[in-house]
Amino acid sequence: QKEVEQNSGPLSVPEGAIASLNCTYSDRGSQSFFWYRQYSGKSPELIMFIYSNGDKEDGRFTAQLNKASQYVSLLIRDSQPSDSATYLCAVNGESGAGSYQLTFGKGTKLSVIP
Amino acid sequence: GAGVSQSPSNKVTEKGKDVELRCDPISGHTALYWYRQSLGQGLEFLIYFQGNSAPDKSGLPSDRFSAERTGGSVSTLTIQRTQQEDSAVYLCASSLAEAETQYFGPGTRLLVL
């Protein structure tokens, strides 16, 4: 049973600060890693994906992957109130049944305080 | 271009009735996924299509749930004899190919009374 763990939060940060969101996963065979943002009542929206160890930057967002530690994180620099949402970590890898379903964590709720 | 679309956006039904939920993936996307998100829960995988075939149905909760995909495009998720525990948001996602990034539709909110 693949598992993806996230702190449920809420994580509160002041506007302009760095928000750090963390995720661990159980399946060493996992191949790709995704961060989705989900506003209340809306569907998940892709923020970033990462496949290789190290850092990947896109604007204010940086994803970090450490496969040896089975750990992936998302940093949000210069946090804005509009970043307030639930952030879902998702892991993809061949399931053994021939599909590449995403396994999701339960999400971390981020609140950016003006 | 157009994203993933789903219909209806909301569905209220009585316990025991059958419901059909529709998903129209992004044009050209060969892989299609159904997930379910219950209140306070994470996203739960239901079924995956590659083209018109469903190699992985492992997430379907019971034999009341079925899905099909025709023409490599539109998919329908059918829930027969609905139960109150079926109430959830049903999300569809598509990707260009398997293992590629999945893009989600707006979901169908199902409420079984």
Side-chain angles (χ1 to χ4, degrees):
Chain A
Q1 181 76 5
K2 298 180 182 180
E3 293 183 351
V4 177
E5 299 288 339
Q6 296 181 254
N7 288 327
S8 62
L11 172 65
S12 294
V13 301
E15 183 174 356
I18 295 175
S20 178
L21 305 163
N22 305 314
C23 171
T24 59
Y25 59 95
S26 64
D27 184 8
R28 285 195 173 274
S30 299
Q31 299 167 355
S32 48
F33 307 86
F34 302 83
W35 284 99
Y36 286 85
R37 177 175 63 197
Q38 188 173 27
Y39 293 113
S40 181
K42 301 294 185 182
S43 62
E45 170 193 11
L46 181 70
I47 297 295
M48 288 193 71
F49 61 86
I50 186 167
Y51 300 142
S52 303
N53 276 329
D55 295 359
K56 179 181 179 182
E57 186 174 320
D58 183 1
R60 297 187 295 111
F61 299 95
T62 299
Q64 299 174 318
L65 174 61
N66 184 326
K67 289 186 177 180
S69 300
Q70 296 174 242
Y71 176 89
V72 59
S73 66
L74 179 70
L75 300 178
I76 306 174
R77 290 180 299 280
D78 187 24
S79 296
Q80 301 297 308
S82 59
D83 295 327
S84 298
T86 296
Y87 288 80
L88 303 172
C89 173
V91 173
N92 198 345
E94 202 277 329
S95 70
S99 80
Y100 290 80
Q101 57 170 285
L102 288 172
T103 301
F104 282 86
K106 292 189 176 181
T108 297
K109 187 171 183 178
L110 173 66
S111 180
V112 180
I113 311 301
Chain B
V4 178
S5 61
Q6 292 185 246
S7 62
S9 53
N10 292 280
K11 178 71 176 179
V12 181
T13 191
E14 294 179 349
K15 177 182 173 181
K17 300 282 190 182
D18 298 352
V19 296
E20 283 190 353
L21 312 179
R22 176 189 167 106
C23 173
D24 203 339
I26 294 172
S27 178
H29 280 198
T30 63
L32 185 148
Y33 303 79
W34 283 98
Y35 295 87
R36 178 169 75 172
Q37 188 172 33
S38 304
L39 191 62
Q41 300 297 313
L43 274 83
E44 172 191 13
F45 167 77
L46 297 178
I47 188 170
Y48 154 72
F49 286 92
Q50 176 58 41
N52 290 334
S53 63
D56 190 356
K57 305 179 183 179
S58 62
L60 294 178
S62 74
D63 59 7
R64 296 186 296 105
F65 288 73
S66 63
E68 65 175 11
R69 189 179 185 195
T70 56
S73 181
V74 171
S75 176
T76 302
L77 177 69
T78 301
I79 309 173
Q80 295 179 311
R81 305 180 303 282
T82 51
Q83 302 295 311
Q84 288 180 332
E85 61 262 29
D86 299 333
S87 297
V89 177
Y90 289 81
L91 290 159
C92 175
S94 71
S95 62
L96 190 60
E98 63 182 15
E100 297 288 333
T101 300
Q102 296 180 25
Y103 297 92
F104 283 83
T108 294
R109 295 180 177 278
L110 175 65
L111 178 61
V112 182
L113 300 177

